[in-house]
Amino acid sequence: MRSLDEALSSNGLHRAKVWGEIIEDRGSQVTLSALGQPPPDRKGHWDPDFAKRKKLKATLGTSSPSSLSA
């Protein structure tokens, strides 16, 4: 969870406006929802071309589970 938070910060991807938790420990998985749980009309606007997700994945490198996908 700390690695995700640091990757968001180092890439300038923390948002001032979020809807709830952005990093959640769900017991069997850790989930990153960069905007939390925004209204449906806001979901697609954060990273429509997956460029931000690719930066996060590159920043996390081998320290992240292989299940992190772009």
Side-chain angles (χ1 to χ4, degrees):
M1 289 177 68
R2 181 178 33 220
S3 294
L4 287 172
D5 188 51
E6 290 171 0
L8 285 168
S9 292
S10 69
N11 285 290
L13 298 175
H14 270 293
R15 310 300 294 176
K17 176 66 176 165
V18 296
W19 293 265
E21 295 295 318
I22 60 170
I23 302 172
E24 297 177 76
D25 181 350
R26 295 184 176 176
S28 64
Q29 68 183 17
V30 173
T31 302
L32 170 65
S33 303
L35 299 176
Q37 298 300 314
D41 65 322
R42 298 296 307 156
K43 281 187 173 190
H45 298 283
W46 182 74
D47 191 20
D49 62 358
F50 285 65
K52 293 174 185 171
R53 283 171 263 209
K54 289 176 183 174
K55 282 175 70 173
L56 282 172
K57 186 175 179 182
T59 299
L60 291 165
T62 59
S63 68
S64 67
S66 61
S67 63
L68 179 64
S69 61

